[in-house]
């Protein structure tokens, strides 16, 4: 008789929804006195942190926040951001972490589109949040966070975060999600066209990717993790949950400063940190006297463009081991890793850098990954030359785009998630990105839509035509390079004026760092040939405005 006919059933005894909320419950029970939080002079244990998360959930419930409601957070890397990653979903509510570098208009869109009921805000962002909230018909409940590491500042609202927690119950009986498919968080990605898209994560995906981080990186118990990666990026690549699951210590850092990073690594024996290559580049460019090797092992995970060989060599000399990963907002952060082979350690620095540049293989928790023809979905040969699009499938992909079924259907067309990134696959099965199907620029780990920047340029009264492409940059990886054709009779317009105008309409990191004036190359049908502009951008000498014939 088949085992499937034995009447064995799924019951509450043998099946529960997967949720990263289980991590903090277990860690607080097993390691209650282990250090959970280091922030300046502040120290908290896991028992204290768990109690604060439950207080937050309880207090939000008392203010009418419940299942399915969105709670936004405009916070730097501070303890309240970690608490929000547990306290908000303890209610069945959805956490929306906002990019602190965005302008008021973009933030207002996200708050309105996500229907935020409450917004937890650090005082550093008081002005931009007030401007954003003023644009909304239904503003959220504002909760003011006064971080001692920032300074007193001016209160954003009369509802103080610590006072709010004092209202809450440290023994609050939070509810396990009834369905692991329930929404856990909402993350916005600008994409390349139109308004930002709201990427919805579920409990199961966050649970699995948090475990995947540990498996891919072999972190072990009690890691000491330095928050150089913004926690608003893909929920910190799921590391708020990963470090908690491993009963680690979160070392917080409001802003990335290379001297401060070095000091915290030494002082607290930091074992792990994540971020864009710019973080490691900043460390590598410190004065030699400040780059003395650490007395303990340090691991750094980078995503995006791989660091150049000289940066890898410099940080390795400090005792930092680099791991290269790849992912997207839609995949909960990294889901592939350049899994390292021990025999590669004997290779030269340049050879190791070449291997580390690859985006690698899938996480153990990602079920499907291929580089394939975007039309036929046939995998490309593993020859390191044939270019295809990266496709993914599995439990660590988003539920979909909030309120945008058309974009969701297109992203999932063919029963695979279409990343829009182009890559080759090497003979050993490791993939390597060669280009982007879309024109996204990744600058210092931030995604910049070229169409958004072009839209701002076209608003300038003297601009006739504009196109934006990525220009390689040693510090940022890539920066926006604008090619501009001026209107006849417009007179002299400087690069500084174009930049100043863009700064009035865009977040600072999106402003072009280079402006080239002249006619734009086009096809016979009038389409701008961006591949030629990319070649020009790569060939530009030095800095400052340029002109082309």
């Amino acid at each position: 008789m088949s085992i499937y006919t034995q009447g064995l059933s799924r019951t509450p005894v043998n099946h529960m929804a997967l949720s990263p909320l289980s991590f903090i419950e277990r860690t607080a029970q097993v390691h209650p006195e282990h250090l959970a939080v280091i922030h300046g002079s502040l120290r908290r244990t896991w028992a204290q942190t768990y109690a604060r998360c439950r207080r937050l959930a309880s207090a939000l419930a008392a203010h009418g926040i419940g299942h399915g409601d969105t709670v936004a957070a405009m916070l730097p890397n501070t303890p309240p951001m970690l608490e929000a990653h547990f306290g908000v979903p303890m209610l069945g509510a959805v956490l929306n972490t906002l990019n602190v570098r965005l302008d008021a208009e973009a933030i207002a869109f996200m708050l309105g589109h996500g229907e935020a009921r409450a917004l937890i805000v650090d005082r550093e962002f008081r002005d931009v949040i007030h401007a954003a909230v003023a644009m909304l018909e239904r503003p959220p409940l504002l909760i003011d966070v006064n971080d001692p590491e920032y300074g007193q500042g001016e209160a954003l609202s009369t509802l103080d975060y610590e006072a709010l927690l004092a209202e809450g119950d440290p023994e609050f009986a939070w509810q396990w999600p009834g369905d692991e498919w329930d929404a856990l968080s909402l993350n916005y990605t600008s994409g390349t066209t139109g308004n930002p898209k709201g990427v919805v994560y579920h409990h199961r995906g966050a649970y699995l990717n948090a475990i995947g981080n540990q498996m891919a990186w072999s972190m072990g118990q009690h890691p000491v993790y330095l928050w150089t990666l913004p926690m608003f990026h893909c929920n910190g690549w799921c590391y708020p949950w990963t470090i908690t699951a491993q009963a680690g210590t979160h070392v917080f850092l409001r802003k990335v400063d290379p001297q401060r990073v070095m000091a915290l690594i030494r002082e607290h024996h930091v074992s792990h940190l994540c971020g864009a290559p710019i973080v490691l580049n900043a460390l590598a460019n410190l004065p030699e006297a400040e780059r003395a090797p650490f007395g303990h092992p340090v691991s750094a995970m980078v995503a995006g463009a791989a660091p150049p060989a000289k940066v890898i060599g410099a940080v390795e000399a400090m005792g930092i081991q680099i791991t290269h990963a790849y992912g997207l907002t839609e995949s909960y952060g990294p889901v592939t890793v350049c899994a390292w082979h021990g025999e590669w350690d004997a290779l030269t620095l340049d050879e190791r850098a070449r291997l580390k540049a690859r985006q690698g293989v899938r996480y153990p928790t990602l079920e499907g990954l291929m580089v394939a023809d975007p039309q036929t979905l046939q995998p490309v040969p593993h020859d390191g030359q044939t270019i295809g699009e990266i496709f993914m499938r599995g439990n660590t992909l988003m539920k979909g785009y909030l309120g945008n079924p058309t974009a969701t259907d297109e992203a999932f067309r063919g029963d695979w998630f279409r990343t829009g990134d182009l890559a080759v696959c090497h003979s050993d099965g490791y993939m390597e990105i060669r280009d982007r199907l879309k024109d996204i620029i990744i600058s210092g780990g931030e995604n910049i839509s070229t169409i958004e920047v072009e839209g701002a340029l076209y608003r300038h009264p003297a601009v006739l035509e504009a196109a934006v492409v990525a220009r390689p940059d040693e510090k940022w990886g890539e920066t926006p390079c604008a090619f501009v054709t001026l209107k006849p009779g417009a007179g002299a317009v400087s690069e500084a004026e174009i930049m100043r105008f863009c700064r009035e309409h865009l977040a600072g990191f999106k402003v072009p760092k280079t402006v080239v004036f002249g006619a734009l190359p086009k096809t016979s049908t009038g389409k701008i040939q961006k591949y030629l502009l990319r070649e020009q951008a790569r060939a530009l000498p030095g800095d400052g405005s340029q002109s082309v014939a």
Side-chain angles (χ1 to χ4, degrees), residues 172-233:
F172 179 69
W174 57 273
Q175 296 299 309
W176 204 281
D179 189 338
E180 60 190 15
W181 182 248
D182 283 353
L184 170 71
S185 64
L186 172 64
N187 291 277
Y188 281 91
T189 177
S190 62
T192 57
T193 59
N195 285 319
K197 295 192 290 289
V199 175
V200 181
Y201 292 175
H202 48 75
H203 284 255
R204 177 181 178 85
Y207 177 100
L208 290 170
N209 215 47
I211 291 176
N213 285 334
Q214 193 281 330
M215 295 174 71
W217 215 4
S218 301
M219 299 184 77
Q221 281 290 97
H222 306 305
V224 180
Y225 183 87
L226 177 61
W227 276 105
T228 47
L229 171 75
M231 294 180 79
F232 62 71
H233 267 313

Side-chain angles (χ1 to χ4, degrees), residues 46-289:
W46 276 114
Q48 293 169 325
T49 300
Y50 183 41
R52 286 175 62 85
C53 293
R54 296 169 80 177
R55 283 182 180 275
L56 175 59
S58 172
L60 288 173
H63 282 269
I65 306 298
H67 187 273
D69 289 333
T70 300
V71 176
M74 185 79 165
L75 298 167
N77 290 346
T78 56
M81 185 66 117
L82 174 65
E83 292 158 5
H85 275 79
F86 291 95
V88 171
M90 281 177 176
L91 290 171
V94 180
L95 176 64
N96 173 208
T97 56
L98 298 169
N99 185 332
V100 300
R101 300 164 185 165
L102 293 178
D103 54 29
E105 187 174 355
I107 292 168
F109 171 81
M110 294 172 185
L111 292 173
H113 184 261
E115 300 181 1
R117 291 282 309 278
L119 173 57
I120 306 171
V121 188
D122 187 275
R123 290 186 180 182
E124 180 179 353
F125 314 113
R126 178 184 182 278
D127 292 342
V128 69
I129 288 298
H130 268 311
V133 168
M135 302 178 191
L136 301 175
E137 292 184 9
R138 297 180 179 178
L141 173 72
L142 295 180
I143 301 169
D144 177 74
V145 175
N146 181 16
D147 178 20
E149 289 293 302
Y150 173 66
Q152 289 302 309
E154 187 175 351
L156 186 85
S157 75
T158 57
L159 183 55
D160 175 74
Y161 181 79
E162 292 300 327
L164 177 75
L165 263 62
E167 300 173 5
D169 180 2
E171 300 295 327
F172 179 69
W174 57 273
Q175 296 299 309
W176 204 281
D179 189 338
E180 60 190 15
W181 182 248
D182 283 353
L184 170 71
S185 64
L186 172 64
N187 291 277
Y188 281 91
T189 177
S190 62
T192 57
T193 59
N195 285 319
K197 295 192 290 289
V199 175
V200 181
Y201 292 175
H202 48 75
H203 284 255
R204 177 181 178 85
Y207 177 100
L208 290 170
N209 215 47
I211 291 176
N213 285 334
Q214 193 281 330
M215 295 174 71
W217 215 4
S218 301
M219 299 184 77
Q221 281 290 97
H222 306 305
V224 180
Y225 183 87
L226 177 61
W227 276 105
T228 47
L229 171 75
M231 294 180 79
F232 62 71
H233 267 313
C234 312
N235 296 113
W237 297 354
C238 292
Y239 277 98
W241 302 307
T242 298
I243 303 306
T244 300
Q246 300 305 112
T249 301
H250 296 268
V251 182
F252 292 96
L253 182 64
R254 284 186 66 97
K255 292 183 179 179
V256 176
D257 170 80
Q259 282 88 2
R260 183 68 175 146
V261 169
M262 296 291 283
L264 290 173
I265 291 174
R266 297 185 194 282
E267 180 181 358
H268 302 299
H269 292 267
V270 167
S271 60
H272 295 81
L273 60 113
C274 294
I278 185 175
V279 175
L280 297 181
N281 192 40
L283 299 183
N285 283 288
L286 285 169
E288 185 174 355

Side-chain angles (χ1 to χ4, degrees), residues 22 24 66 94 113 124 132 255 276 333 355 405 433 453 485 504 522:
S22 66
I24 193 168
V94 180
H113 184 261
E124 180 179 353
K255 292 183 179 179
L355 290 172
I433 291 178
V453 181
T485 302
E504 294 173 0
K522 299 176 183 175

